[in-house]
Amino acid sequence: MWPKVFVQLVELLPHISRLVPMADRFFTSKAAAEKANEAAMLAMAEGVRGDLGQVTKAHLGLYRQLQDQSAQITDVGEEVKRARLSMQQHEHRMEALEKQVASFSLWLKAGVPILIALVSMVVVLLVRLLQR
C-alpha cells in the first residue's frame, strides 16, 4: 500500500511544484490583506477614540452647565422658601392689624354716640345754669 502512495506522490510532484508558488502568493496576499484590515481597524479605532474624546469634552461642558443650573435651582428654591415664610409672617401681621382695626371700629362706633350724648348733656346743663 505504501509503495503505491509513494508512486502516486511522485506522479503528483510536478503538479504540486506548480501549485506551491500559487499557494505562496495566496498566503502572501492573505497576510497582506490581514495587515491592511488590521491597519484599517487601527485607523478606525483611532477615529472612534478621537470622537469619544470630543463627546467627552462636550459632555463635560453639559455636566458643568447642569451642575450650575442645579445650584441655581437650589438657590431659587431657598429664596422661594424664604419668600413663603415672609408672606406667612406678613399674613399673620395683617390678621392682627385687621383684628385691631375691627376692635377700634367697634370702640369708635360705640364711643361716638356716647360722646354726642355727653356733649348734649353738658350743653343742656350749661343752658340750665345760664338760665338761672
Side-chain angles (χ1 to χ4, degrees):
M1 174 170 146
W2 287 106
K4 287 183 182 180
V5 171
F6 286 126
V7 170
Q8 287 178 352
L9 281 176
V10 171
E11 287 178 13
L12 290 175
L13 276 177
H15 299 294
I16 291 174
S17 66
R18 282 188 240 139
L19 290 176
V20 168
M22 289 174 64
D24 185 41
R25 277 183 283 176
F26 171 75
F27 289 126
T28 304
S29 68
K30 188 175 179 181
E34 286 178 2
K35 286 182 182 178
N37 284 340
E38 184 179 340
M41 290 292 198
L42 287 174
M44 202 166 31
E46 288 298 321
V48 168
R49 284 187 192 120
D51 291 344
L52 284 176
Q54 291 175 353
V55 168
T56 302
K57 288 178 186 175
H59 282 181
L60 286 176
L62 290 174
Y63 288 139
R64 278 190 222 113
Q65 289 177 353
L66 183 63
Q67 288 174 346
D68 292 343
Q69 288 178 353
S70 180
Q72 289 174 350
I73 288 171
T74 303
D75 293 342
V76 168
E78 290 175 5
E79 287 181 23
V80 167
K81 285 179 185 176
R82 280 185 257 139
R84 186 179 303 134
L85 181 63
S86 176
M87 287 191 58
Q88 288 174 352
Q89 289 174 349
H90 288 303
E91 286 176 6
H92 291 302
R93 288 180 188 163
M94 289 295 290
E95 288 174 5
L97 285 174
E98 286 174 356
K99 287 179 183 178
Q100 289 176 353
V101 166
S103 174
F104 179 72
S105 174
L106 182 66
W107 278 101
L108 190 62
K109 287 178 184 176
V112 168
I114 292 173
L115 282 174
I116 291 174
L118 286 175
V119 168
S120 63
M121 285 176 67
V122 167
V123 168
V124 169
L125 287 176
L126 280 176
V127 167
R128 279 190 188 172
L129 277 175
L130 289 175
Q131 286 180 357
R132 279 189 207 183

